[in-house]
Amino acid sequence: ASAWLRRLCGHLLSERLLRPGGVQAVVRGVLEGTDGEWGALGGAGTEAAALDWRKCDAVGKILAACPQQCLSLEDYYRQVCPQVLDLLHIQDKVAARQFQRVATTTLLTMAREQPELAERHLLQPLLAPLHRCSEAAELALEDLAAGAVLVPEAELGTCVEDVLKVYVVGNDSSSLLLGSLQSVLGVVFSLYSFAKQSVSYLRSPCQDILLWFLEKAEREQSLAVLEGLARLSSHVPTLHPRCQLRVGSEGGATIVMEETISDEDEALYQKISSEQCHVESLVELLSHCQKSGLAGDFFIHCLKELTQVAAEDEAAPNPAVEPGGSLLELEQYQARQGRKLLVLQLVAALCEGVSDTVFTDIVQVQEFVAAVLHRACAHPAQGPGAAAEAQTLAMAMGLVAAMLGGAVQLQSSDFVVLKRLVPLLEELSRTYPEPLTQELASDLRIAICTHGACSPGTVGAAADSVLGRKPGTGAPSPAGVPSRAPSLPSQQHGRGSPSAHRERSEEQSTRHEPSASGASPAPCADSPAPAGLQELLVSAYDPQPPSRAAALRRLASLVTQRDPEALRLQEKLLQVFLENVQHEDAFVYLSAIQGIALLSGEYPERILPVLLARYECPAQGTEDAAAAVTRMKLGEVLMRVTQALGDMVFQHREPLIRAFLRGARDPDSALRASSLSNLGELCQHLGFQLGSIIQEVTCCVTAIAQTDPEAEVRRAAVHVVVLLLRGLSEKVTEVLRDVLRDLYRLLKHVATAERDGATVLHAQLALEELDTAMRRVLFPPQTLEKKIVVLP
């Protein structure tokens, strides 16, 4: 085209663009092309335009450029930017893809070219609903009564979807966008935590937004944001304390002003529940960040923070004990104690949730071990928490010994990283009060400095303990020199030799570890078993939890491999596993549970009756609390056996359900809840094979849900119905035809009359499962079938 025609067309286009609704009209005109059939959503021209992203990007760049006839860039942004944001809300499915692409391209281009104007006219209006309820916002509290809606459901849902389209789909990690998003991440995380507790469509977009930021930001910035989300710092403004999230009628959420709770106990309970849910949500979010190493870095950060908080706590006196303390000192002390408890809660949740694959490289392992060693050097294990501190230190040092013992093929660069531990190991060998730990620290320092060429006996023994290997069978060191642990005759009576370790283990286990049934581990040592298996049976009673757990896992591995000698001693193995189930250390009793489950999967007819007898009648002479804990552990074993048996569990249906029904009437509320949970899992697995037993299950669940005084037990009873409906799926009307009405009335009663929020949530989930199943039965999906009929 000639120059005058281009100028005239540009002038007309810009003039139309600056009118009300001009942006949408221009975009429609340009993307429509020459076919003039914008309304034909199924047309070939419209579909082709929807897929032509290059044309959409070109239109976006045109919108971002200020026309020449516009006198002020500020005026142009003020007129165009609200219309650009409106492009994100087009409802037509085909047209929406084009308009969203144009809007995203325009916004990102404006943010690159004019950051200040883009932030003022685009990003701030986009994030306005989230800023409105942020902790940094100045709310006119006197103008807002309790229960007043601050952000309606539709506005909040639209805002979250727009943020997802612009930030995550646009995928531009500029500092302006990351900074603007960081200011509302606290509110987004509160939405994510709230959506996890209910059925809401906001959970997935909030999770995608948070993960996108943590992935695109620098590691230091991501760690600072995680620290702010954990409420350890003020880097991220959180939801305003006067704001409260409520379930919306359309599956979203509404932000309202919080009503004052007069009951102090109820307010404290809600605060503790909210904090617990907050931590669990953070751990679940971090479980998606393990491959990038962010979860490991944050875990190490929390360990370092724990050491620092403990040091500050010891340095500062307790004003509540010492006389003359001021009110300010008392508040500071309470703040330090609250921070310490929060860090402890975070570390415990991270250990439970993401500890199995939290470290992705040797640098993170070194930082973790360094944090533990630094804490041990600064604060040796003393007082009531000495056992836990010693176990943590033993685990960290055993981890280094395992790497040096051949668990990982170390390179020269890896030893450069490990040499950072040498000063801490040297200090630990001089200052730690326990002699064995001093010797192991000194030997680890020698092994690291010599790149594994000199590996003393204690290092090999520690590696064997961690890896579950038989002592003396360690892998060669990276330098090619075999371990000296099996060939040290002069050290056979030393503190660190493997034989001395086994003799001490056998002596202490015989003296300190009587079993619940009165049997001692001596028969295990005297049994006609091979030497290797006999050593494992003796190590299963080692007083050190890591050695004991390693032996139990090795025995479970022999059962999995169908070792003939191990299977011949299946009764003795079962006795060993059952006695270790009562151990207080989680690593030990979980290893025992795994062993029993594997053994029961091989011989269910022999093992299940023993487990059911132990579950229904605990060992005599034990306290009620200990017996209830042991029965709950055995219930976990029975559930794992049920999963391992698969469809073969049908022949063991009646004794299993009878045992769980009896457990549901136990005086201990925790055991009642555990039994009901196991019952729900079993019913979900059995499905249509329940038969007439469904009447007993329904009567039990109905009675407990209506009359039990404990909220957690009522919650578990309603959860049984959820699992039952979920397991039956389309078979609901067929299997539950006699009790379906009773279950529906129970759920409606719980949803309307129950005071516990979690129980009401379970009831709502069950009603949704029932509604979905009934809709599938009443309105089956229509399918098109081709039939060929041969006429006579």
Side-chain angles (χ1 to χ4, degrees), residues 121 131 172 427 661 681:
H121 297 287
H131 280 298
D172 188 345
E427 183 179 357
L661 288 177
E681 294 286 346

mmCIF file with all atom_site columns, all heavy atoms in Angstrom, residues 121 131 172 427 661 681:
data_model
loop_
_atom_site.group_PDB
_atom_site.id
_atom_site.type_symbol
_atom_site.label_atom_id
_atom_site.label_alt_id
_atom_site.label_comp_id
_atom_site.label_asym_id
_atom_site.label_entity_id
_atom_site.label_seq_id
_atom_site.pdbx_PDB_ins_code
_atom_site.Cartn_x
_atom_site.Cartn_y
_atom_site.Cartn_z
_atom_site.occupancy
_atom_site.B_iso_or_equiv
_atom_site.pdbx_formal_charge
_atom_site.auth_seq_id
_atom_site.auth_comp_id
_atom_site.auth_asym_id
_atom_site.auth_atom_id
_atom_site.pdbx_PDB_model_num
ATOM 1  N N   . HIS A 1 121 ? -1.383  1.066   35.932 1.00 0.00 ? 121 HIS A N   1
ATOM 2  C CA  . HIS A 1 121 ? -2.654  0.936   35.219 1.00 0.00 ? 121 HIS A CA  1
ATOM 3  C C   . HIS A 1 121 ? -3.029  -0.505  34.867 1.00 0.00 ? 121 HIS A C   1
ATOM 4  O O   . HIS A 1 121 ? -4.179  -0.745  34.466 1.00 0.00 ? 121 HIS A O   1
ATOM 5  C CB  . HIS A 1 121 ? -2.604  1.756   33.920 1.00 0.00 ? 121 HIS A CB  1
ATOM 6  C CG  . HIS A 1 121 ? -2.431  3.222   34.149 1.00 0.00 ? 121 HIS A CG  1
ATOM 7  N ND1 . HIS A 1 121 ? -3.437  4.028   34.644 1.00 0.00 ? 121 HIS A ND1 1
ATOM 8  C CD2 . HIS A 1 121 ? -1.358  4.046   33.968 1.00 0.00 ? 121 HIS A CD2 1
ATOM 9  C CE1 . HIS A 1 121 ? -3.001  5.270   34.750 1.00 0.00 ? 121 HIS A CE1 1
ATOM 10 N NE2 . HIS A 1 121 ? -1.736  5.312   34.344 1.00 0.00 ? 121 HIS A NE2 1
ATOM 11 N N   . HIS A 1 131 ? -4.879  -7.376  46.924 1.00 0.00 ? 131 HIS A N   1
ATOM 12 C CA  . HIS A 1 131 ? -4.296  -6.326  47.764 1.00 0.00 ? 131 HIS A CA  1
ATOM 13 C C   . HIS A 1 131 ? -5.295  -5.828  48.804 1.00 0.00 ? 131 HIS A C   1
ATOM 14 O O   . HIS A 1 131 ? -4.901  -5.420  49.905 1.00 0.00 ? 131 HIS A O   1
ATOM 15 C CB  . HIS A 1 131 ? -3.846  -5.154  46.891 1.00 0.00 ? 131 HIS A CB  1
ATOM 16 C CG  . HIS A 1 131 ? -2.528  -5.377  46.206 1.00 0.00 ? 131 HIS A CG  1
ATOM 17 N ND1 . HIS A 1 131 ? -1.358  -5.572  46.892 1.00 0.00 ? 131 HIS A ND1 1
ATOM 18 C CD2 . HIS A 1 131 ? -2.206  -5.436  44.887 1.00 0.00 ? 131 HIS A CD2 1
ATOM 19 C CE1 . HIS A 1 131 ? -0.363  -5.741  46.054 1.00 0.00 ? 131 HIS A CE1 1
ATOM 20 N NE2 . HIS A 1 131 ? -0.842  -5.662  44.815 1.00 0.00 ? 131 HIS A NE2 1
ATOM 21 N N   . ASP A 1 172 ? 6.539   -14.821 31.780 1.00 0.00 ? 172 ASP A N   1
ATOM 22 C CA  . ASP A 1 172 ? 7.581   -13.808 31.674 1.00 0.00 ? 172 ASP A CA  1
ATOM 23 C C   . ASP A 1 172 ? 8.071   -13.519 33.093 1.00 0.00 ? 172 ASP A C   1
ATOM 24 O O   . ASP A 1 172 ? 7.341   -12.964 33.915 1.00 0.00 ? 172 ASP A O   1
ATOM 25 C CB  . ASP A 1 172 ? 7.036   -12.540 31.030 1.00 0.00 ? 172 ASP A CB  1
ATOM 26 C CG  . ASP A 1 172 ? 8.138   -11.526 30.733 1.00 0.00 ? 172 ASP A CG  1
ATOM 27 O OD1 . ASP A 1 172 ? 9.244   -11.690 31.273 1.00 0.00 ? 172 ASP A OD1 1
ATOM 28 O OD2 . ASP A 1 172 ? 7.889   -10.583 29.963 1.00 0.00 ? 172 ASP A OD2 1
ATOM 29 N N   . GLU A 1 427 ? 36.207  -30.409 65.739 1.00 0.00 ? 427 GLU A N   1
ATOM 30 C CA  . GLU A 1 427 ? 35.695  -29.825 66.988 1.00 0.00 ? 427 GLU A CA  1
ATOM 31 C C   . GLU A 1 427 ? 34.816  -30.811 67.740 1.00 0.00 ? 427 GLU A C   1
ATOM 32 O O   . GLU A 1 427 ? 34.868  -30.903 68.970 1.00 0.00 ? 427 GLU A O   1
ATOM 33 C CB  . GLU A 1 427 ? 34.912  -28.549 66.676 1.00 0.00 ? 427 GLU A CB  1
ATOM 34 C CG  . GLU A 1 427 ? 34.401  -27.830 67.916 1.00 0.00 ? 427 GLU A CG  1
ATOM 35 C CD  . GLU A 1 427 ? 33.643  -26.566 67.576 1.00 0.00 ? 427 GLU A CD  1
ATOM 36 O OE1 . GLU A 1 427 ? 33.574  -26.223 66.358 1.00 0.00 ? 427 GLU A OE1 1
ATOM 37 O OE2 . GLU A 1 427 ? 33.116  -25.929 68.502 1.00 0.00 ? 427 GLU A OE2 1
ATOM 38 N N   . LEU A 1 661 ? -15.002 -53.551 63.752 1.00 0.00 ? 661 LEU A N   1
ATOM 39 C CA  . LEU A 1 661 ? -16.228 -53.144 64.432 1.00 0.00 ? 661 LEU A CA  1
ATOM 40 C C   . LEU A 1 661 ? -16.054 -53.193 65.953 1.00 0.00 ? 661 LEU A C   1
ATOM 41 O O   . LEU A 1 661 ? -16.575 -52.340 66.674 1.00 0.00 ? 661 LEU A O   1
ATOM 42 C CB  . LEU A 1 661 ? -17.389 -54.036 63.998 1.00 0.00 ? 661 LEU A CB  1
ATOM 43 C CG  . LEU A 1 661 ? -17.907 -53.816 62.570 1.00 0.00 ? 661 LEU A CG  1
ATOM 44 C CD1 . LEU A 1 661 ? -19.005 -54.818 62.240 1.00 0.00 ? 661 LEU A CD1 1
ATOM 45 C CD2 . LEU A 1 661 ? -18.429 -52.403 62.384 1.00 0.00 ? 661 LEU A CD2 1
ATOM 46 N N   . GLU A 1 681 ? -11.416 -48.003 54.646 1.00 0.00 ? 681 GLU A N   1
ATOM 47 C CA  . GLU A 1 681 ? -10.495 -48.453 53.595 1.00 0.00 ? 681 GLU A CA  1
ATOM 48 C C   . GLU A 1 681 ? -10.847 -49.858 53.133 1.00 0.00 ? 681 GLU A C   1
ATOM 49 O O   . GLU A 1 681 ? -10.798 -50.167 51.937 1.00 0.00 ? 681 GLU A O   1
ATOM 50 C CB  . GLU A 1 681 ? -9.054  -48.419 54.128 1.00 0.00 ? 681 GLU A CB  1
ATOM 51 C CG  . GLU A 1 681 ? -8.530  -47.040 54.429 1.00 0.00 ? 681 GLU A CG  1
ATOM 52 C CD  . GLU A 1 681 ? -8.197  -46.263 53.165 1.00 0.00 ? 681 GLU A CD  1
ATOM 53 O OE1 . GLU A 1 681 ? -8.120  -46.888 52.098 1.00 0.00 ? 681 GLU A OE1 1
ATOM 54 O OE2 . GLU A 1 681 ? -8.036  -45.027 53.257 1.00 0.00 ? 681 GLU A OE2 1
#
